Amino acid sequence: MRAPSRSSWFALLATLALARVTMGCGTAPVPPAEVAPAEADPAALEARRLAIRDQVKALIGDLTAEGRYDCCVEAPCNLCAMRAGGCRCGEGLRRGEPVCEECAMMWRRGNGAEPGVEAGTVRSYLEAEREMEARAKASVEPKVQAKVPAKGGAAEAPGCACAEHAPK
Ligand SMILES: [Zn+2]
Ligand SMILES: [Zn+2]
């Protein structure tokens, strides 16, 4: 027997979902999709965290095998896996571009892994963005340098030129 195609499964599910909604009480609002009850048990929360961590690690392994994870630190970042489903921090860094926040932090911690790159030069996208904003702001703000006193002469008030104080 031919297995039903994916789209017909979706159609079936949609029909069932619709049937459930229409069979329910007409006045009651449709409840949102069921959410898992909050687990207050710390052990259960920790078990979930570890399971997710392992899944992310496995995902990174598969993405790496597919050539979609070119990271720049010793243990590949999780951030790009979750945010983008792939990492280009390595190739970007080799071009002198910023890296993701997690990679930048790892470089700062001494865990960079890109030959020939000086850790102190590695910046995150966030840092790069802030630098750009600061530069843009500085170029717009009026110059205030005229008011900055010259070095050394700041403490000395200029000599009074009024008649009373004028040198005799
Ligand atoms: Zn990286
Ligand atoms: Zn990354």
Side-chain angles (χ1 to χ4, degrees), residues 153-165:
E156 290 177 61
C160 185
C162 73
E164 193 184 338
H165 295 113

Side-chain angles (χ1 to χ4, degrees), residues 70-73 77 87 89-90 99-100 103 107:
D70 181 3
C71 196
C72 57
V73 291
C77 66
C87 182
C89 290
V99 297
C100 80
C103 286
W107 273 93

